[in-house]
Amino acid sequence: WEGRMEELLESRPDPSNCETILAIFAEAHKKMCFESTSTEHAEKVIKLLSRREQLLGKLQRFRDQGEDIHSIADHLLLLPNRQLEAANYLKRTRSIGAEHGFFGLEALACMGIGQLALKTGNVGAGLEALRQALTAADFDEFEDAEYAGGSTIKVNVLRDLTSVLIGRNAIDEAEPLVARFREEAKAESARKGGVCFSELFSLFANARLLEARKKPREAAAEFCSLLDVLHNNEIRAIPGMMPRYCEEMLGAAGETLKILDPKSGEKDLIAGVAAARLKVARVQANQ
């Protein structure tokens, strides 16, 4: 079908039809980006969405245009040496959000700008951008709408912001935000009908916070709750979960939590993490 895409576009020249066709193929390649380590699919997403966002601009569908531009930035970051281009697309996303009053777009853009700053070692700028993202996310226009199962912008910003703050030992600022993260993640799970990945990550964040507050027993209980969900569910049945997300979270837990230290940590938890990682590896092997 992709070989016939240009033919389909030419046979349906109306911009509304064309943008729908481009969206269908872009979504297919987005899915393959998660299933494959190849950069080929990211390149195709960028080309398809670059065409689509121009059509959306002509149709004055600025919210959708901004989302496509943000998605282009996300996929550029999957490619080597494309960070500067990604930063420019994030700035465009933020400009469209500001110009048309879409706070959700501004939040997405600021979150991306913050993540990019953190990757390049500029922690101060990254934190400030994430704080701005959270402020904008409080006014997210899709938070209460039936949009992709409910907006996840705020919970994603809280995930990134709390992680950085705890890592910098800014515990007093992090503590109320972790509590918010837990509540937002629980609400997302309720919307999606099952414990979602964000709720698992919020348990990890709370375990880190409790350990920083010198409460290792409570931290161990929180992390045990996380492992229980992983052991009692199929990885792909957890809403929002991708195997590589789970592997990254478990890897980060092993690096940051003292209760998982191979020499002095909780043996049952360490064994639980090893079993969970083996489960994830099996899922990845069967892809």
Side-chain angles (χ1 to χ4, degrees):
W1 277 102
E2 190 168 41
R4 294 186 58 202
M5 187 182 71
E6 295 301 332
E7 180 184 336
L8 287 168
L9 291 170
E10 290 175 8
S11 68
R12 293 168 172 78
D14 181 87
S16 294
N17 291 328
C18 290
E19 68 84 10
T20 301
I21 292 168
L22 290 167
I24 290 169
F25 286 105
E27 286 303 314
H29 284 293
K30 282 183 185 181
K31 180 175 174 58
M32 292 306 298
C33 282
F34 289 110
E35 305 289 346
S36 168
T37 57
S38 170
T39 61
E40 174 189 356
H41 297 289
E43 293 276 13
K44 288 190 175 181
V45 171
I46 292 164
K47 290 178 181 178
L48 290 164
L49 292 187
S50 295
R51 294 174 67 177
R52 183 173 183 258
E53 67 93 353
Q54 294 178 34
L55 289 173
L56 292 170
K58 292 177 182 178
L59 293 167
Q60 297 189 346
R61 286 172 49 187
F62 298 116
R63 181 59 167 76
D64 292 333
Q65 182 188 26
E67 283 201 334
D68 273 7
I69 293 169
H70 177 265
S71 188
I72 291 169
D74 271 351
H75 287 83
L76 281 167
L77 291 174
L78 297 176
L79 304 174
N81 305 316
R82 305 293 288 273
Q83 291 183 342
L84 183 58
E85 287 178 76
N88 290 331
Y89 276 100
L90 290 170
K91 290 175 184 176
R92 277 192 66 199
T93 305
R94 189 174 188 182
S95 295
I96 290 174
E99 183 178 350
H100 298 285
F102 295 127
F103 289 98
L105 276 185
E106 288 199 68
L108 277 173
C110 288
M111 181 168 61
I113 290 167
Q115 291 168 341
L116 191 53
L118 291 169
K119 285 180 181 178
T120 56
N122 194 341
V123 179
L127 266 175
E128 183 57 30
L130 289 175
R131 292 186 183 109
Q132 292 172 359
L134 185 57
T135 298
D138 282 331
F139 302 96
D140 177 13
E141 57 273 10
F142 284 113
E143 185 174 31
D144 299 317
E146 291 185 7
Y147 179 78
S151 177
T152 59
I153 296 172
K154 188 184 297 184
V155 77
N156 290 337
V157 174
L158 285 165
R159 177 199 63 209
D160 288 356
L161 183 54
T162 53
S163 180
V164 178
L165 289 171
I166 295 170
R168 288 175 62 83
N169 205 35
I171 304 305
D172 289 339
E173 183 180 355
E175 189 161 22
L177 294 177
V178 170
R180 282 185 68 186
F181 184 20
R182 288 287 293 126
E183 292 306 310
E184 293 287 344
K186 288 177 186 177
E188 185 184 344
S189 291
R191 288 196 301 269
K192 294 184 175 179
V195 177
C196 66
F197 175 66
S198 292
E199 188 169 353
L200 290 180
F201 207 99
S202 74
L203 286 167
F204 172 37
N206 206 30
R208 291 182 70 192
L209 178 72
L210 288 165
E211 195 172 77
R213 288 295 192 197
K214 311 299 183 187
K215 297 179 179 180
R217 188 170 300 175
E218 291 89 338
E222 283 290 89
F223 200 77
C224 187
S225 297
L226 183 160
L227 290 175
D228 284 345
V229 174
L230 292 179
H231 291 317
N232 295 329
N233 293 274
E234 292 296 327
I235 298 296
R236 290 187 173 279
I238 299 171
M241 175 67 84
M242 291 288 179
R244 68 182 179 89
Y245 292 172
C246 189
E247 174 59 31
E248 288 169 3
M249 178 182 66
L250 293 172
E255 292 173 1
T256 57
L257 288 172
K258 294 178 182 177
I259 53 175
L260 297 179
D261 183 274
K263 295 181 179 179
S264 59
E266 300 272 348
K267 302 303 181 186
D268 289 345
L269 289 180
I270 295 169
V273 170
R277 296 185 85 165
L278 180 61
K279 186 175 183 178
V280 172
R282 286 173 178 160
V283 174
Q284 291 174 316
N286 290 325
Q287 286 180 352

